Amino acid sequence: IPDAESLELRLADGRGPCEGRVEVKLRGRWGTVADNDWDMDDAEVVCQQLGCGSAAGAYLASRFRLVDAPIMMALVDCNGDEAALWDCNIQGWGPYKGPHDFDTAVACQGFSRLAGGDSECSGRLEVRQGRAWISVCHGHVDLMAAQVICRELG
């Protein structure tokens, strides 16, 4: 593993800081993370490391703008409970030149969700506590609180 103190992680070209192409800064230069078997366990580590809650999706980055950057990390395999992406099993440390066909991306869902409703915009409010979802028990959720929750959940 390169000097872990100098490694940085970010998401780029998404709708906010918790969605986008996964990028790692290695040896002072930003580049992509490539993996042809990118999954929700890998995405979970990225979302948790960035303070973005739980993973909602693990994707190939083809849905985002293409970049002319090196591949900094390749073939990543996480269990989902690692503290940082570079704590996962990584077969290749860059920089590499090559096609960006397997650049990775994630969407994180934050720390709250609605569950058990008739649609994605209704249901019981749950919040993330560690790796578990717990129900919010509050008898007096007013319109102002509901507006904040709905805005956060989109």
Side-chain angles (χ1 to χ4, degrees):
I1 295 177
D3 182 10
E5 296 298 317
S6 65
L7 290 170
E8 293 181 51
L9 176 69
R10 72 180 180 192
L11 299 178
D13 291 330
R15 291 177 292 186
C18 294
E19 174 190 84
R21 182 182 50 259
V22 181
E23 294 186 349
V24 172
K25 187 176 185 181
L26 175 64
R27 297 182 187 104
R29 190 167 174 203
W30 286 101
T32 64
V33 174
D35 187 350
N36 63 341
D37 195 25
W38 186 250
D39 62 22
M40 288 296 286
D41 288 336
D42 305 325
E44 183 70 21
V45 172
V46 170
C47 291
Q48 291 287 332
Q49 182 178 352
L50 292 173
C52 291
S54 187
Y59 311 101
L60 291 179
S62 57
R63 62 177 45 200
F64 300 101
R65 177 179 63 86
L66 294 176
V67 294
D68 184 27
I71 297 168
M72 289 301 191
M73 196 181 284
L75 303 174
V76 177
D77 186 26
C78 302
N79 293 321
D81 57 1
E82 291 88 350
L85 188 62
W86 33 88
D87 293 336
C88 301
N89 182 19
I90 299 165
Q91 292 186 25
W93 290 93
Y96 299 111
K97 288 185 182 257
H100 288 273
D101 297 343
F102 297 106
D103 282 356
T104 60
V106 301
C108 306
Q109 62 185 358
F111 294 95
S112 59
R113 70 179 184 186
L114 297 174
D118 295 334
S119 71
E120 63 183 29
C121 293
S122 67
R124 173 183 68 256
L125 177 62
E126 296 181 337
V127 295
R128 186 80 175 193
Q129 185 174 34
R131 291 186 50 86
W133 289 100
I134 60 168
S135 294
V136 174
C137 300
H138 193 286
H140 302 291
V141 175
D142 61 12
L143 184 58
M144 190 178 305
Q147 288 173 332
V148 170
I149 293 163
C150 290
R151 191 169 41 251
E152 178 185 334
L153 296 175

